[in-house]
């Protein structure tokens, strides 16, 4: 089981390096199924922040800091209620909610991608930043909402992908801290060698992304991530429904 976790972490870090996002989308459904919704999402929050920190040094000069501060401030208002939900909702309903949130987020971002409408001003930043923070804390998947913001504002890919790295560091660590406090100090029960294995898997994925950067189109990577995320979301909902039925 842990070998599968490592494989998914490598794939998530690779996607994050190539497309700017994708870690949570790929890793969340698998870790929720394998480790449970609360522990799984906590690990995703920590690993997502760590992978973005490792990538940030490579894309630092392209970060649009003004947009980062606006999005991060909006997201933090959603992190607190999302963390509270993750800490208080029973496991099976939480799994269903995570899967449904992921499916809805993916569908909305794809729908917007086909729309010629263009947004401007602080309203979309505040609304979609809040949604991203809420989903990141509750489900470990803040990417779809923030991708929707990039689509409706026609944000250029290089600046978008770079700015997401400090953004995911902020939302990942704040989500982790809030859930730690709301749960009374609960942490995932992983051994030291397992944490080291996850770190090594992240580094491997990022190095592979460095080697493939420029050779693989980010749009192609996003399509693969979306397909896998849909499949994982469906399996997460199915697991939650099965657990409710059995109980």
């Amino acid at each position: 089981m842990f070998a599968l976790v490592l494989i998914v972490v490598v794939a998530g870090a690779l996607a994050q390096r190539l497309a700017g996002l994708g870690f949570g989308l790929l890793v969340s459904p698998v870790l929720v199924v394998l480790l449970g919704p609360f522990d799984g999402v906590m690990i995703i929050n920590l690993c997502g922040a760590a992978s973005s920190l490792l990538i940030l040094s490579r894309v630092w000069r392209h970060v649009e800091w003004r947009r980062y501060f606006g999005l991060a401030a909006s997201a933090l208002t959603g992190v607190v209620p999302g963390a509270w939900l993750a800490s208080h909702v029973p496991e099976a309903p939480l799994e269903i909610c995570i899967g449904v949130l992921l499916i809805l987020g993916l569908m909305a971002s794809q729908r917007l991608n086909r729309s010629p409408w263009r947004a401007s001003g602080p309203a979309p930043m505040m609304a979609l930043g809040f949604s991203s923070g809420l989903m990141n804390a509750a489900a470990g998947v803040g990417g779809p909402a923030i991708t929707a913001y990039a689509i409706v504002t026609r944000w250029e890919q290089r600046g978008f992908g770079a700015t997401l790295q400090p953004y995911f560091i902020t939302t990942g660590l704040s989500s982790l801290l809030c859930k730690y406090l709301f749960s009374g100090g609960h942490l995932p029960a992983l051994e030291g060698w397992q944490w080291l294995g996850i770190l090594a898997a992240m580094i491997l994925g990022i190095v592979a992304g460095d080697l493939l950067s420029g050779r693989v189109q980010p749009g192609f990577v996003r399509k693969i991530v979306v397909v896998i995320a849909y499949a994982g979301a469906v399996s997460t909902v199915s697991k939650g429904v099965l657990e409710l039925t059995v109980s």
Side-chain angles (χ1 to χ4, degrees):
M1 182 182 73
F2 189 68
L4 179 57
V5 170
L6 294 180
I7 292 170
V8 175
V9 169
V10 171
L14 175 63
Q16 186 87 359
R17 175 65 185 92
L18 290 174
L21 76 165
F23 188 89
L25 289 174
L26 283 173
V27 178
S28 178
V30 177
L31 290 195
V32 167
V33 170
L34 293 179
L35 304 177
F38 192 79
D39 282 3
V41 174
M42 283 193 85
I43 292 172
I44 293 159
N45 291 149
L46 178 59
C47 292
S51 65
S52 290
L53 182 62
L54 292 170
I55 294 169
L56 181 58
S57 62
R58 293 161 169 79
V59 298
W60 179 273
R61 65 185 182 278
H62 302 304
V63 174
E64 298 179 21
W65 290 104
R66 184 175 179 180
R67 263 181 165 167
Y68 156 74
F69 285 114
L71 287 169
S74 302
L76 289 175
T77 63
V79 164
V80 175
W84 187 90
L85 287 172
S87 304
H88 292 83
V89 176
E91 187 166 297
L94 184 57
E95 287 175 335
I96 296 172
C97 289
I98 288 172
V100 170
L101 280 174
L102 182 51
I103 291 171
L104 292 176
L106 289 167
M107 291 176 64
S109 62
Q110 287 184 296
R111 177 81 174 178
L112 288 169
N113 198 32
R114 294 191 291 268
S115 172
W117 178 65
R118 179 170 183 168
S120 60
M125 176 181 286
M126 294 173 63
L128 292 170
F130 172 87
S131 301
S132 176
L134 178 71
M135 291 180 65
N136 188 76
V141 285
I146 211 67
T147 299
Y149 172 77
I151 291 169
V152 298
T153 58
R154 302 297 185 264
W155 195 353
E156 177 264 332
Q157 169 61 33
R158 186 172 66 174
F160 167 63
T163 306
L164 282 187
Q165 305 319 309
Y167 174 80
F168 283 140
I169 294 170
T170 302
T171 56
L173 293 180
S174 59
S175 297
L176 187 67
L177 176 61
C178 287
K179 282 187 283 191
Y180 177 80
L181 295 174
F182 282 136
S183 65
H186 175 83
L187 289 174
L190 293 182
E191 297 182 17
W193 68 269
Q194 291 176 312
W195 286 113
L196 290 175
I198 289 174
L199 176 62
M202 283 193 299
I203 293 173
L204 178 60
I206 292 169
V207 171
D210 282 337
L211 296 174
L212 292 174
S213 182
R215 302 180 185 179
V216 180
Q217 293 295 322
F220 176 72
V221 178
R222 285 191 189 183
K223 289 179 182 178
I224 295 176
V225 168
V226 167
V227 170
I228 296 173
Y230 268 121
V234 171
S235 67
T236 303
V237 173
S238 301
K239 182 174 181 287
V241 171
L242 181 62
E243 289 174 353
L244 279 180
T245 304
V246 172
S247 62

